[in-house]
Amino acid sequence: MTSVFVVIGLVFVMSVLYLQTGTRATSYDYALNDIENEIEDLQSKRDDLAVEKARLQSIAQSEKSTVAARMANANDAEYAVSE
């Protein structure tokens, strides 16, 4: 009779340990998923910032160029009139 209780106790302890391991693995999966989502968000922001940097550099280079300095203002446009 005592051995039956020992076997039942061992089965219970092993079951609890098994369930705890599964729960721990699931919580690690959720943490990993959160980190992967954060990485994707940061990569997206990095890409957006790279585009913005390129745009600002292009504007700065065009303002410094000699060709842009010689261009006329669009408000000062003159139109050719044919007779």
Side-chain angles (χ1 to χ4, degrees):
M1 188 70 163
T2 315
S3 62
V4 172
F5 289 124
V6 170
V7 170
I8 290 174
L10 285 174
V11 168
F12 177 75
V13 169
M14 295 298 286
S15 299
V16 169
L17 290 175
Y18 176 76
L19 291 175
Q20 183 182 12
T21 304
T23 304
R24 187 179 312 148
T26 303
S27 68
Y28 289 146
D29 287 342
Y30 283 122
L32 180 62
N33 191 25
D34 290 342
I35 291 170
E36 287 175 345
N37 288 339
E38 185 177 357
I39 288 171
E40 288 176 11
D41 291 341
L42 290 173
Q43 286 175 340
S44 175
K45 288 179 184 178
R46 182 194 63 197
D47 293 342
D48 291 343
L49 288 173
V51 169
E52 182 68 13
K53 176 185 172 187
R55 185 184 72 81
L56 292 173
Q57 285 176 337
S58 175
I59 291 171
Q61 286 176 350
S62 67
E63 288 175 351
K64 292 179 185 176
S65 79
T66 57
V67 174
R70 291 186 305 217
M71 289 183 168
N73 209 356
N75 295 335
D76 301 335
E78 295 179 15
Y79 301 97
V81 179
S82 63
E83 294 181 28

